Coordinates of all heavy atoms in Angstrom, one line a residue:
S142 N -76.6 -107.2 -56.0 CA -76.4 -106.6 -57.4 C -76.4 -105.1 -57.3 O -75.6 -104.5 -58.0 CB -77.6 -107.1 -58.3 OG -77.4 -106.6 -59.6
A143 N -77.3 -104.5 -56.5 CA -77.3 -103.0 -56.4 C -76.1 -102.5 -55.9 O -75.6 -101.4 -56.3 CB -78.5 -102.6 -55.6
L144 N -75.5 -103.2 -54.9 CA -74.2 -102.7 -54.3 C -73.1 -102.8 -55.3 O -72.2 -102.0 -55.3 CB -74.0 -103.5 -53.0 CG -75.0 -103.4 -51.9 CD1 -74.6 -104.1 -50.7 CD2 -75.4 -101.9 -51.7
G145 N -73.1 -103.9 -56.1 CA -72.0 -104.0 -57.1 C -72.1 -102.9 -58.1 O -71.1 -102.4 -58.6
K146 N -73.3 -102.5 -58.5 CA -73.5 -101.5 -59.5 C -73.0 -100.1 -58.9 O -72.3 -99.4 -59.6 CB -75.0 -101.3 -59.8 CG -75.6 -102.3 -60.7 CD -77.0 -102.0 -61.1 CE -77.6 -102.9 -62.2 NZ -77.6 -104.3 -61.8
S147 N -73.2 -99.9 -57.6 CA -72.7 -98.7 -57.0 C -71.2 -98.6 -56.9 O -70.6 -97.6 -57.1 CB -73.3 -98.6 -55.5 OG -74.7 -98.4 -55.6
A148 N -70.6 -99.8 -56.6 CA -69.1 -99.8 -56.6 C -68.5 -99.5 -58.0 O -67.6 -98.7 -58.1 CB -68.6 -101.2 -56.1
N149 N -69.1 -100.1 -59.0 CA -68.6 -99.9 -60.4 C -68.9 -98.5 -60.8 O -68.1 -97.9 -61.6 CB -69.3 -100.9 -61.3 CG -68.6 -102.3 -61.2 OD1 -67.5 -102.5 -61.7 ND2 -69.3 -103.3 -60.7
K150 N -70.0 -97.9 -60.4 CA -70.3 -96.5 -60.8 C -69.2 -95.6 -60.3 O -68.9 -94.6 -60.9 CB -71.6 -96.1 -60.2 CG -72.1 -94.7 -60.5 CD -73.5 -94.5 -59.9 CE -73.9 -93.0 -60.1 NZ -75.2 -92.8 -59.5
A151 N -68.7 -95.9 -59.1 CA -67.7 -95.0 -58.5 C -66.2 -95.2 -59.1 O -65.4 -94.4 -58.9 CB -67.6 -95.2 -57.0
L152 N -66.0 -96.4 -59.7 CA -64.7 -96.7 -60.2 C -64.5 -96.0 -61.6 O -65.4 -96.0 -62.5 CB -64.6 -98.2 -60.4 CG -64.3 -99.0 -59.2 CD1 -64.4 -100.5 -59.4 CD2 -62.8 -98.7 -58.7
K153 N -63.3 -95.5 -61.8 CA -63.0 -94.9 -63.1 C -61.8 -95.7 -63.7 O -61.2 -95.2 -64.7 CB -62.5 -93.4 -62.9 CG -63.5 -92.6 -62.2 CD -64.8 -92.5 -62.9 CE -65.8 -91.6 -62.2 NZ -67.1 -91.5 -62.9
R154 N -61.6 -96.9 -63.3 CA -60.6 -97.7 -63.8 C -61.0 -99.2 -63.7 O -62.0 -99.5 -63.0 CB -59.3 -97.5 -63.1 CG -59.4 -97.8 -61.6 CD -58.2 -97.4 -60.8 NE -58.4 -97.7 -59.4 CZ -58.0 -98.9 -58.7 NH1 -57.5 -99.9 -59.5 NH2 -58.3 -99.1 -57.5
K155 N -60.2 -100.1 -64.2 CA -60.4 -101.5 -64.1 C -60.0 -101.9 -62.7 O -58.9 -101.6 -62.3 CB -59.7 -102.3 -65.1 CG -60.3 -102.1 -66.5 CD -59.6 -103.0 -67.5 CE -60.3 -102.9 -68.9 NZ -59.6 -103.9 -69.9
A156 N -60.9 -102.6 -62.0 CA -60.5 -103.1 -60.7 C -61.4 -104.3 -60.3 O -62.5 -104.5 -60.9 CB -60.7 -102.0 -59.6
I157 N -61.0 -105.1 -59.4 CA -61.8 -106.3 -59.0 C -62.9 -105.8 -58.1 O -62.8 -105.0 -57.2 CB -60.9 -107.3 -58.2 CG1 -59.8 -107.8 -59.0 CG2 -61.8 -108.4 -57.6 CD1 -58.7 -108.6 -58.3
V158 N -64.1 -106.3 -58.4 CA -65.3 -106.1 -57.5 C -65.8 -107.5 -57.2 O -66.4 -108.1 -58.1 CB -66.3 -105.2 -58.2 CG1 -67.5 -105.0 -57.2 CG2 -65.8 -103.8 -58.5
W159 N -65.6 -107.9 -56.0 CA -66.0 -109.3 -55.7 C -67.0 -109.4 -54.5 O -67.2 -108.4 -53.8 CB -64.8 -110.1 -55.3 CG -64.1 -109.8 -54.0 CD1 -63.1 -108.9 -53.8 CD2 -64.4 -110.3 -52.7 NE1 -62.8 -108.9 -52.4 CE2 -63.6 -109.7 -51.7 CE3 -65.4 -111.2 -52.2 CZ2 -63.7 -110.0 -50.4 CZ3 -65.5 -111.5 -50.9 CH2 -64.6 -110.9 -50.0
V160 N -67.7 -110.5 -54.5 CA -68.7 -110.7 -53.5 C -68.7 -112.2 -53.1 O -68.4 -113.0 -53.9 CB -70.1 -110.2 -53.9 CG1 -70.6 -111.1 -55.0 CG2 -71.1 -110.1 -52.8
Y161 N -69.2 -112.5 -51.9 CA -69.4 -113.9 -51.5 C -70.9 -114.1 -51.7 O -71.7 -113.4 -51.1 CB -69.0 -114.0 -50.0 CG -69.2 -115.4 -49.5 CD1 -68.3 -116.5 -49.8 CD2 -70.4 -115.7 -48.8 CE1 -68.5 -117.8 -49.3 CE2 -70.6 -117.0 -48.3 CZ -69.6 -118.0 -48.6 OH -69.9 -119.3 -48.1
T162 N -71.2 -115.1 -52.5 CA -72.6 -115.3 -52.8 C -73.2 -116.8 -52.5 O -74.3 -117.0 -52.5 CB -73.0 -115.0 -54.2 OG1 -72.3 -115.9 -55.1 CG2 -72.6 -113.6 -54.5
K163 N -72.2 -117.7 -52.4 CA -72.6 -119.1 -52.4 C -73.8 -119.5 -51.5 O -74.8 -120.1 -51.9 CB -71.4 -120.0 -52.0 CG -71.8 -121.5 -52.0 CD -70.5 -122.3 -51.7 CE -70.1 -122.1 -50.2 NZ -69.0 -123.0 -49.8
D164 N -73.8 -119.0 -50.2 CA -74.8 -119.4 -49.3 C -76.2 -118.9 -49.6 O -77.2 -119.5 -49.2 CB -74.4 -119.0 -47.9 CG -73.3 -119.9 -47.3 OD1 -73.2 -121.0 -47.8 OD2 -72.6 -119.4 -46.4
S165 N -76.2 -117.8 -50.4 CA -77.5 -117.2 -50.6 C -78.4 -118.1 -51.6 O -79.6 -118.1 -51.5 CB -77.4 -115.8 -51.2 OG -76.7 -115.8 -52.4
Y166 N -77.7 -118.9 -52.4 CA -78.5 -119.8 -53.3 C -78.4 -121.2 -52.7 O -79.4 -122.0 -52.8 CB -78.0 -119.8 -54.7 CG -76.7 -120.6 -55.0 CD1 -76.8 -122.0 -55.1 CD2 -75.5 -120.0 -55.1 CE1 -75.7 -122.8 -55.4 CE2 -74.4 -120.7 -55.4 CZ -74.4 -122.1 -55.5 OH -73.3 -122.8 -55.8
R167 N -77.4 -121.5 -51.9 CA -77.3 -122.9 -51.4 C -78.2 -123.1 -50.2 O -78.8 -124.1 -50.0 CB -75.8 -123.2 -51.0 CG -75.6 -124.6 -50.5 CD -74.3 -124.8 -49.8 NE -74.4 -124.1 -48.5 CZ -73.3 -124.0 -47.7 NH1 -72.2 -124.4 -48.0 NH2 -73.5 -123.4 -46.5
D168 N -78.2 -122.1 -49.3 CA -78.9 -122.3 -48.0 C -80.3 -121.9 -48.1 O -81.1 -122.4 -47.3 CB -78.2 -121.5 -46.9 CG -76.9 -122.2 -46.4 OD1 -76.7 -123.4 -46.8 OD2 -76.2 -121.6 -45.6
V169 N -80.7 -120.9 -48.9 CA -82.1 -120.4 -48.9 C -82.7 -120.4 -50.2 O -84.0 -120.4 -50.3 CB -82.2 -119.0 -48.3 CG1 -81.8 -119.0 -46.8 CG2 -81.3 -118.0 -49.0
G170 N -82.0 -120.5 -51.3 CA -82.6 -120.5 -52.6 C -83.2 -121.8 -53.0 O -82.9 -122.8 -52.4
M171 N -84.0 -121.8 -54.1 CA -84.5 -123.0 -54.6 C -83.4 -124.0 -54.9 O -83.6 -125.2 -54.9 CB -85.3 -122.8 -55.8 CG -86.1 -123.9 -56.4 SD -87.4 -124.5 -55.2 CE -88.2 -125.7 -56.3

Side-chain angles (χ1 to χ4, degrees):
S142 179
L144 301 185
K146 283 184 172 66
S147 292
N149 282 291
K150 181 180 178 181
L152 281 168
K153 303 301 181 184
R154 62 187 177 90
K155 289 185 177 180
I157 297 170
V158 179
W159 69 267
V160 69
Y161 178 80
T162 65
K163 180 178 69 173
D164 287 334
S165 58
Y166 79 80
R167 185 197 70 188
D168 283 352
V169 295
M171 187 63 171

